[in-house]
Amino acid sequence: MARVKPAKGGGSGSGRTPARKTGLWSTVRKRMLQLLLVLLLLPPVLTVIYSVVPPVSTLMIGRYVQFLWVDRQWEPLERISPHLVRSVIASEDSGFCENDGVEWGALQEQVEALSEGERPRGASTLTMQTAKNLFLWGDRSYLRKGMELPLALMLDAILSKKRIMEIYLNIAEWGEGIFGAEAAAQAWFGKPASDLTRTEAARLATALPNPRGRNPAKPSPGHRRLAATNLARVKGAGAIFGCVLEN
């Protein structure tokens, strides 16, 4: 009786399963590396595009996706009141023209406060806030704050101070669905952003930390005090606006 020779490689195909697993893992790893590369390259590529194209914020995109109302009317910096530019710098980032997108001294103070068990406050520059609005999410977390730093440095390296300010003033939130200086000026004061007075600009600037809780048109006593302090800072600020406005 003739003998039947066993098939090469074993009858059960045991050598194929590890090979398939290895191939699958190699594909997954390749796709993950490709995704990581895209995520790393996307912000600088978008930033170059945003140097000439009006951007939208991630918060605006989120509202668009949910079919929620968005009011944003892009205006060049030359058509936004210089009073608002001064008030925003004085309120949010007095070192805007000198820093590289990050206030390292203020950041170190907040890190030390955190290490001592205190609650850290702010330390975000206008450039960091612009980076957050363009590329990140709104919820506060140490992860998001850590991601703001390299993004802010990148924005400062690629864009001019004027362009960063122009973008910030056109994507900042000033109320439910209200984005940018023009929409805010129209919504709260019934006038274009170019016609804002010093007082109106101060009220808008001091509403930024809590845009949905502060009404620039009918400010609370506390909001009025913040606006008055802002006006005093602007008056005594000297030449800190030189990178954005001609003195």
Side-chain angles (χ1 to χ4, degrees):
M1 185 174 181
R3 296 181 179 180
V4 178
K5 295 182 179 180
K8 293 183 179 180
S12 62
S14 59
R16 296 178 183 178
T17 300
R20 288 177 180 175
K21 289 183 178 180
T22 301
L24 177 62
W25 171 242
S26 177
T27 300
V28 170
R29 183 171 58 183
K30 181 180 179 180
R31 294 292 181 264
M32 290 177 65
L33 289 175
Q34 290 174 341
L35 178 61
L36 179 61
L37 182 62
V38 169
L39 292 176
L40 289 174
L41 292 178
L42 189 59
V45 170
L46 286 176
T47 299
V48 172
I49 295 173
Y50 292 160
S51 66
V52 293
V53 175
V56 295
S57 69
T58 53
L59 185 55
M60 293 167 64
I61 293 173
R63 291 185 66 86
Y64 285 131
V65 170
Q66 300 175 71
F67 300 101
L68 297 175
W69 177 74
V70 172
D71 184 9
R72 199 284 289 273
Q73 305 160 46
W74 180 276
E75 290 290 349
L77 194 63
E78 292 75 17
R79 290 165 61 178
I80 296 175
S81 171
H83 298 315
L84 183 60
V85 176
R86 294 188 182 98
S87 289
V88 167
I89 291 177
S91 178
E92 297 290 300
D93 184 6
S94 60
F96 176 68
C97 287
E98 286 75 35
N99 63 47
D100 58 0
V102 179
E103 280 287 0
W104 297 105
L107 185 63
Q108 182 178 356
E109 290 177 2
Q110 298 311 310
V111 171
E112 292 174 353
L114 178 63
S115 65
E116 294 173 0
E118 300 177 11
R119 184 177 180 179
R121 297 176 298 172
S124 287
T125 63
L126 284 171
T127 310
M128 290 172 66
Q129 293 179 50
T130 303
K132 178 200 72 176
N133 291 340
L134 288 177
F135 303 116
L136 303 174
W137 59 96
D139 294 338
R140 293 184 177 182
S141 68
Y142 294 122
L143 173 62
R144 194 210 72 191
K145 184 63 67 175
M147 294 175 68
E148 282 181 21
L149 299 180
L151 289 171
L153 294 172
M154 177 204 66
L155 285 180
D156 193 79
I158 296 176
L159 303 177
S160 68
K161 293 290 187 181
K162 284 188 176 182
R163 184 59 176 176
I164 293 173
M165 176 59 68
E166 186 173 61
I167 291 175
Y168 178 81
L169 290 178
N170 276 283
I171 64 175
E173 183 185 21
W174 261 296
E176 183 73 30
I178 302 172
F179 296 90
E182 181 66 21
Q186 296 286 358
W188 297 116
F189 302 112
K191 61 172 63 176
S194 58
D195 293 343
L196 290 169
T197 66
R198 286 184 173 87
T199 299
E200 291 165 347
R203 290 179 181 178
L204 283 174
T206 50
L208 283 169
N210 187 12
R212 299 190 185 184
R214 293 176 181 173
N215 185 331
K218 298 179 180 179
S220 65
H223 190 176
R224 287 180 182 273
R225 287 192 294 271
L226 289 173
T229 301
N230 179 272
L231 287 171
R233 288 177 179 173
V234 170
K235 186 176 181 180
I240 69 169
F241 317 107
C243 66
V244 182
L245 298 173
E246 294 182 2
N247 297 315

